[in-house]
Amino acid sequence: MFPRHTPSKIAIALSFCFGSIPLTQAAINTGEVQVQGKTTAPDAGFFLKAPTGTVNDIPKEKLNKIQTFNINSTQGQTEITPGQMQMLTPTDSFTQALANLPNVVVESSGDSQNGDDVYINGFNKSLINWTLDGIPLNDSDNYSFYSNEFIPTRLISGTRYFPGAASAALPGLAAFGGAVETYTLNPGQNTSVSLLTGYGSFGKYNYGALINSGLLGAKSAMPTAFWLYANKNHSKGYFDHTPSDQKQFLFKSISQVGPGALTLFYSRNDQNFNYYGGCQQSDLNKYGESCNTYRGEPMINGKPNPNSYLYRFNQYNNSLGYAKYEATFGKTTVSNQVYYYRGNGYSGGASTYSSSFYDPATNTVQKVSPPTGSLFTYQSINDTKRWGNIFRLNTPLADQLGLEAGLWYNHNDTTHDRQYFNATDNQYIGSLYVEPVVTKLFEPYFNLTWKVTQDLTLQGGVKYLKVNRDFTNLGALAQGKPGQFNVDFTTTMPSLGLNYRINSALSAYANVTLNTQPPQYNQFYSGSYNPSLAPQKARTYDIGLVYDTGLWSGGLDLFRVNFDNYILSTKTNNQDTQLQNAGSAINEGLAWQNNFKLNDTWSLYANLGLLNARLTSLDRPYPYAPRHTLAVGGMYNAGPWRATLGMRTVGKSFYVFSNGDTAPINAHTLVDASLRYTLDRGPETQFGLHKLTVALNARNLLNQHYTNKYGGKSTNPYLYRNQPRSVYLSLEAQF
């Protein structure tokens, strides 16, 4: 017999209120499509259901571990729990929760509130497939991912992490470094209003509210529950002149509509922030911890200073919304999810140099110099409009054979525009570049699950990716130069995996998957144009064990990634510089994760990573690819008290400059801790305070300092330093 899927708590509550609607037809779920009800077919859904939890209630088992493992998976798979999320400062990006995983490095050029850089097995975040509630988040032009844009840790029901190749059943791009799926919490069945606030080191604070409607219209044709979240984060910056201000607004509702569930989601994030700049040792000796790259005053010796903090900041507004309908008809479950994303913002700066600017009004390019005694200010604008649709189907084909299939379509329309202004009167002068880019993606997929025997499961599938991109360089066209490009890319990505159940506590798996990433838009005009530039491809192999004895659970994964055609700047026969698919690289290693649940009060974890990641064609290391990582810690749960203590060690790695020079990032060990007290009066309380949570988060308890990034020229770089010791006290009162 194969286990049936169980609906989430909100589904049970809604189904109970609906009365005559069968539970199997009313299962409300924000996860991947799955077979519902009684059947002898195998589970066709590769990713199973989304992690459970509501804004009112997170299952206890999700709080007393930082990670759980899927013993039935055909490749490495870890679920990062809300218990791990609660170890973080509430204003941090959710990507900080990845830092305890093997061979993962998470760094920030400033505060995590402003976004993190993530490296998995040596691959940076543009080579990792990121999704939120199943929606791919990587930008379709350059595959960038901005972790501070989408979801606060308070609203996450879990994050599913695949350190190796991603399955064919996961829509998206660029999964060389694996895939990270994040899911939002569902509304809860009890009405509540929560007030949230906090204050910590470096003038950081937040305040906001979370409203949960409870079940509305139980006897109507469309019973509904929703939550609404609004929050403001602010930091003065732990180095001078680096304030950050972030406003968040999110909404999610689930409604019963006919035989299925309709989920609506909307998020908006408005942010102004800067990146702190590190310093050389002489600067640190002079300025101390207030040292900053852009520490200069607006005027120096009577002349304007373009490197002043006055001109260096970022402003970005973005929003993401989706509507998803999912229903089960007999043994077949289908869903359709339409989404829209809008991002509009810029990074600011200043210049005293003469430049050639494009004027859209006259369609001409001319050289302009700053007025005497003044300078240019500029805004590097990125305006993105993205919409798409994801259709999924899950059905048994036979007693032992299941099918998951789908189609992802994405339309991305982005304009890159660096606009220059006269600093004296703020009049627009022209643009250094104006580049509209339209990218269309079409990706059908299918994935088969075959239960060969009671103990052996095979999974195989394929994704087919078709990309069309129109790129226009208006400045080049105005000068009679090549500036209009249209290209098509197609790639077939197969995936094959198996899982063998050795006994009730131990499984073995093996997997091989091909992943791809089409060229980025700006690779059209770097050096001489190469019309034959092809998508990058990497084949991932991994084998491993997953075990769960109750007391001890974990996974051991051995992996190798053959990256044989990465895009590399290459000299042609006539000595021009051209981008070609000429690079080769090896990423290989071991990832070992362990959880020890000693009892309901104590649990421990230990994660070890060993990595060999080198760009073999260039004979240099991958940036931020340490030879080893180690994370150990424990969690304590007793009554209203909850505490965590964790240590992570990251071995020596390197920063790699664009000219190939390297600079060391020293090995370092960081210790974090958290302490929470929750007074819970229970949902039956009619009026007044239902629940009160007070939490203290401490980061870098040992106050370790190390260089985490280099800026400026490789011969005279600025050293970016990590955040010093910090604490944050937060409070949530639920009424």
Side-chain angles (χ1 to χ4, degrees):
M1 289 295 293
F2 301 95
R4 290 179 293 169
H5 295 281
T6 56
S8 62
K9 291 184 177 181
I10 185 64
I12 296 173
L14 291 177
S15 300
F16 177 79
C17 296
F18 299 154
S20 61
I21 301 177
L23 183 61
T24 56
Q25 298 296 316
I28 295 177
N29 192 309
T30 57
E32 302 299 318
V33 179
Q34 61 212 265
V35 177
Q36 302 283 350
K38 296 180 180 179
T39 176
T40 57
D43 173 20
F46 180 80
F47 296 103
L48 309 179
K49 62 180 183 295
T52 58
T54 74
V55 291
N56 284 343
D57 182 30
I58 297 173
K60 183 179 179 180
E61 64 270 17
K62 301 293 186 180
L63 295 176
N64 59 14
K65 294 181 179 180
I66 73 162
Q67 56 196 2
T68 62
F69 310 96
N70 182 1
I71 202 167
N72 298 311
S73 175
T74 59
Q75 59 188 156
Q77 182 184 137
T78 302
E79 183 181 316
I80 303 171
T81 67
Q84 168 75 320
M85 297 294 173
Q86 290 182 1
M87 295 175 67
L88 308 178
T89 301
T91 58
D92 281 346
S93 165
F94 79 93
T95 45
Q96 286 289 320
L98 300 171
N100 284 330
L101 297 170
N103 301 315
V104 175
V105 175
V106 181
E107 293 287 5
S108 175
S109 296
D111 195 283
S112 176
Q113 173 181 306
N114 301 334
D116 293 325
D117 292 321
V118 181
Y119 304 85
I120 297 177
N121 297 337
F123 295 104
N124 65 41
K125 61 185 179 181
S126 68
L127 288 167
I128 302 166
N129 190 8
W130 304 86
T131 63
L132 176 64
D133 287 349
I135 299 173
L137 299 178
N138 300 69
D139 185 276
S140 299
D141 288 341
N142 59 11
Y143 315 106
S144 296
F145 169 74
Y146 305 99
S147 64
N148 54 315
E149 292 187 2
F150 296 103
I151 188 76
T153 56
R154 172 61 180 85
L155 299 174
I156 293 177
S157 63
T159 293
R160 198 165 286 125
Y161 163 74
F162 300 86
S167 160
L170 176 63
L173 294 163
F176 292 26
V180 180
E181 294 186 301
T182 299
Y183 295 94
T184 56
L185 287 166
N186 286 337
Q189 60 181 323
N190 300 308
T191 302
S192 66
V193 176
S194 297
L195 302 180
L196 308 97
T197 188
Y199 188 82
S201 303
F202 314 113
K204 181 183 283 191
Y205 64 83
N206 81 288
Y207 59 85
L210 174 62
I211 300 172
N212 188 85
S213 70
L215 184 61
L216 304 175
K219 302 297 184 180
S220 70
M222 195 172 76
T224 299
F226 70 83
W227 55 252
L228 181 67
Y229 174 87
N231 182 66
K232 174 184 171 73
N233 296 327
H234 185 83
S235 174
K236 293 181 180 179
Y238 56 93
F239 286 84
D240 284 352
H241 315 312
T242 58
S244 173
D245 189 78
Q246 182 181 36
K247 298 180 179 67
Q248 302 167 313
F249 175 85
L250 297 97
F251 168 86
K252 183 178 183 180
S253 69
I254 302 180
S255 304
Q256 185 72 38
V257 180
L262 174 65
T263 303
L264 303 178
F265 178 85
Y266 176 79
S267 70
R268 182 176 174 87
N269 187 320
D270 296 341
Q271 190 162 8
N272 292 280
F273 61 98
N274 204 332
Y275 300 111
Y276 102 88
C279 306
Q280 299 180 60
Q281 188 59 50
S282 58
D283 297 322
L284 289 169
N285 294 339
K286 180 178 180 180
Y287 295 99
E289 291 293 353
S290 64
C291 178
N292 181 273
T293 298
Y294 304 116
R295 57 193 176 276
E297 296 302 316
M299 300 293 292
I300 296 180
N301 297 327
K303 295 182 180 180
N305 175 24
N307 290 320
S308 170
Y309 64 89
L310 184 66
Y311 309 111
R312 303 287 175 165
F313 64 95
N314 298 265
Q315 177 177 311
Y316 209 76
N317 305 322
N318 65 79
S319 59
L320 172 70
Y322 73 79
K324 177 180 179 180
Y325 184 73
E326 178 178 323
T328 300
F329 305 93
K331 297 180 180 180
T332 299
T333 300
V334 295
S335 78
N336 196 75
Q337 186 174 24
V338 60
Y339 63 88
Y340 178 79
Y341 169 83
R342 174 71 189 275
N344 190 357
Y346 61 87
S347 59
S351 172
T352 57
Y353 295 103
S354 301
S355 299
S356 296
F357 297 120
Y358 171 71
D359 183 357
T362 61
N363 195 34
T364 58
V365 174
Q366 57 183 345
K367 191 170 184 177
V368 183
S369 301
T372 303
S374 186
L375 45 66
F376 295 137
T377 61
Y378 63 79
Q379 297 177 2
S380 297
I381 297 172
N382 182 299
D383 186 3
T384 298
K385 305 177 186 70
R386 185 185 314 146
W387 65 269
N389 191 83
I390 304 173
F391 172 79
R392 297 180 175 93
L393 176 146
N394 199 310
T395 187
L397 298 179
D399 286 346
Q400 306 300 326
L401 184 65
L403 168 68
E404 183 175 6
L407 173 62
W408 172 45
Y409 175 79
N410 185 87
H411 182 105
N412 198 89
D413 190 345
T414 301
T415 298
H416 307 269
D417 183 359
R418 175 174 281 193
Q419 298 183 354
Y420 278 70
F421 303 86
N422 189 318
T424 304
D425 55 15
N426 203 37
Q427 291 295 309
Y428 172 68
I429 298 171
S431 295
L432 189 65
Y433 53 78
V434 180
E435 298 166 354
V437 185
V438 177
T439 305
K440 301 173 185 177
L441 304 176
F442 177 83
E443 187 178 82
Y445 70 87
F446 74 87
N447 199 57
L448 295 170
T449 302
W450 179 25
K451 193 74 171 178
V452 182
T453 69
Q454 185 65 28
D455 298 320
L456 177 62
T457 301
L458 295 180
Q459 282 196 336
V462 65
K463 287 191 290 191
Y464 173 79
L465 176 65
K466 179 177 174 59
V467 179
N468 173 265
R469 179 172 290 140
D470 282 307
F471 169 73
T472 306
N473 184 334
L474 294 177
L477 291 177
Q479 300 175 77
K481 300 178 181 179
Q484 184 72 51
F485 308 103
N486 179 276
V487 289
D488 287 285
F489 303 106
T490 58
T491 309
T492 301
M493 293 168 281
S495 177
L496 180 64
L498 65 85
N499 179 288
Y500 182 71
R501 195 68 177 260
I502 299 172
N503 56 46
S504 61
L506 180 65
S507 287
Y509 64 83
N511 184 278
V512 57
T513 297
L514 178 69
N515 283 303
T516 189
Q517 185 192 71
Q520 301 177 15
Y521 84 95
N522 59 3
Q523 292 172 328
F524 283 111
Y525 59 91
S526 298
S528 59
Y529 173 60
N530 180 6
S532 300
L533 202 62
Q536 302 179 120
K537 296 180 182 179
R539 190 176 302 276
T540 298
Y541 305 87
D542 68 325
I543 59 173
L545 297 172
V546 184
Y547 43 89
D548 187 352
T549 65
L551 172 65
W552 179 27
S553 62
L556 175 65
D557 185 80
L558 298 172
F559 63 88
R560 179 183 173 96
V561 182
N562 290 345
F563 193 179
D564 297 324
N565 72 332
Y566 75 79
I567 295 174
L568 179 67
S569 181
T570 307
K571 290 288 187 180
T572 62
N573 292 334
N574 58 6
Q575 295 303 301
D576 286 338
T577 299
Q578 187 180 66
L579 293 178
Q580 298 179 356
N581 297 96
S584 62
I586 289 295
N587 300 64
E588 58 188 2
L590 172 150
W592 189 18
Q593 297 174 254
N594 297 276
N595 255 111
F596 305 92
K597 187 179 179 182
L598 306 182
N599 49 46
D600 289 340
T601 302
W602 290 97
S603 68
L604 307 174
Y605 64 89
N607 296 335
L608 171 68
L610 302 176
L611 177 66
N612 174 36
R614 290 195 62 82
L615 301 163
T616 52
S617 58
L618 296 175
D619 191 27
R620 71 178 65 144
Y622 266 88
Y624 298 94
R627 287 283 187 173
H628 76 276
T629 63
L630 174 66
V632 296
M635 308 180 76
Y636 171 82
N637 290 274
W641 292 98
R642 182 167 183 272
T644 65
L645 178 66
M647 178 196 78
R648 66 181 183 274
T649 296
V650 179
K652 181 180 178 181
S653 59
F654 295 91
Y655 182 87
V656 181
F657 295 95
S658 58
N659 65 357
D661 292 347
T662 61
I665 300 173
N666 293 332
H668 52 274
T669 298
L670 302 178
V671 178
D672 300 334
S674 68
L675 179 65
R676 300 170 68 88
Y677 176 82
T678 301
L679 173 64
D680 191 350
R681 301 178 66 195
E684 65 277 0
T685 305
Q686 296 298 313
F687 301 101
L689 182 68
H690 289 222
K691 185 185 293 186
L692 176 67
T693 299
V694 181
L696 179 66
N697 292 79
R699 299 279 300 276
N700 193 8
L701 280 173
L702 303 181
N703 202 30
Q704 294 293 299
H705 291 270
Y706 66 94
T707 302
N708 70 356
K709 192 175 182 180
Y710 290 77
K713 297 178 180 179
S714 60
T715 55
N716 185 27
Y718 291 108
L719 309 182
Y720 287 64
R721 298 173 68 83
N722 69 305
Q723 190 180 76
R725 181 191 297 120
S726 64
V727 296
Y728 199 84
L729 180 66
S730 59
L731 181 148
E732 178 174 347
Q734 187 182 102
F735 300 91

